[in-house]
Amino acid sequence: ALGGALFPLDDGGGRPRASDLGELVAAVTPMPALKLATAHTVCAHAAARVSEVQQLRRLDLAGAVMIVRTARRHMPVGGWDALGLQLGERFPRFYAGSDRAVTLSALAIARGAESTELGAPAAKLERLLGGSPLSPFNVEWRYAPSQSGGCGVEQSLSVIANRTSVEAVLSQTLQRADAQLDAGAYVHHYARYGCTEPVLREYIDECWGIVAEYRQAQGATARSAPPAPLRGASSVRGS
């Protein structure tokens, strides 16, 4: 379910409601050709609230180090600040060496929290993601105070982001596809079902068109995008 992004939300009365996929698509992929997104979720379990000092006292050193590393990677300690920072690390600022990744649009969903709890953490996450050339607000927020992330999770923070860094991943995939097609690799398997080499090349060319669109967005943003404004939790739109 997109890394937890489609878990239930709250309605206006604080009751569970199903997530709206159309709402998510409209928020994250508003441009016709730029329809690729990355989803990440970080969770805080009840067990994660045990401090590292307590863990070190209970376990031998080797076991404690392993547990602490696991907690840092999967179950952050320290509330929403820790969740926001860990989530931000999954969206690097640069890719392909020195190209700065531009966030075109993003949707963040906080489960187990009121909007008033995420003022500073929300602002930090928005700074990490950077400004958007499409909107003065680079991240759209949803809150589900009564919902948990499932599987015993008390709090979770999900972000689905449409970023120009996807261009590098798609380019590598297409380069490999071009090389395999030039070598005739597996073409006979596809041809058996009516997908001939010209058809495959047509699809690859269409995907290269998507890469060009992301590169164009990247270049336009580098020339003209202002920094993203910071928003307190009181000014973001809830669910």
Side-chain angles (χ1 to χ4, degrees), residues 108-129:
I109 304 171
R111 291 184 173 82
E114 298 283 352
S115 60
T116 53
E117 299 179 53
L118 270 81
K124 289 178 182 177
L125 183 59
E126 289 173 1
R127 281 198 299 269
L128 286 171
L129 290 174

Side-chain angles (χ1 to χ4, degrees), residues 18-167:
S19 294
D20 187 338
L21 183 58
E23 182 182 88
L24 186 151
V25 170
V28 178
T29 58
M31 302 280 290
L34 308 179
K35 294 292 188 183
L36 301 178
T38 303
H40 289 289
T41 295
V42 291
C43 304
H45 293 255
R49 302 187 182 281
V50 180
S51 71
E52 294 180 8
V53 174
Q54 289 174 309
Q55 291 173 345
L56 287 171
R57 287 174 180 172
R58 294 177 185 175
L59 302 170
D60 60 88
L61 182 59
V65 169
M66 181 185 67
I67 293 293
V68 168
R69 287 177 179 171
T70 301
R72 286 176 176 169
R73 186 167 62 251
H74 299 295
M75 300 177 293
V77 179
W80 292 106
D81 279 309
L83 287 172
L85 288 174
Q86 190 184 53
L87 190 58
E89 291 174 356
R90 303 189 182 187
F91 294 96
R93 296 187 180 186
F94 296 91
Y95 70 99
S98 60
D99 293 330
R100 179 178 288 276
V102 176
T103 300
L104 302 176
S105 51
L107 177 67
I109 304 171
R111 291 184 173 82
E114 298 283 352
S115 60
T116 53
E117 299 179 53
L118 270 81
K124 289 178 182 177
L125 183 59
E126 289 173 1
R127 281 198 299 269
L128 286 171
L129 290 174
S132 168
L134 306 181
S135 169
F137 302 118
N138 59 336
V139 182
E140 191 165 339
W141 287 87
R142 299 284 187 274
Y143 297 94
S146 71
Q147 301 302 308
S148 67
C151 301
V153 176
E154 288 190 344
Q155 298 168 325
S156 68
L157 185 58
S158 304
V159 169
I160 308 94
N162 188 351
R163 310 183 81 218
T164 57
S165 55
V166 73
E167 170 261 315

Side-chain angles (χ1 to χ4, degrees), residues 2 6 11 91 103 127 132 147 188 190 206:
L2 285 179
L6 295 181
D11 63 12
F91 294 96
T103 300
R127 281 198 299 269
S132 168
Q147 301 302 308
H188 62 287
Y190 293 103
E206 288 182 7

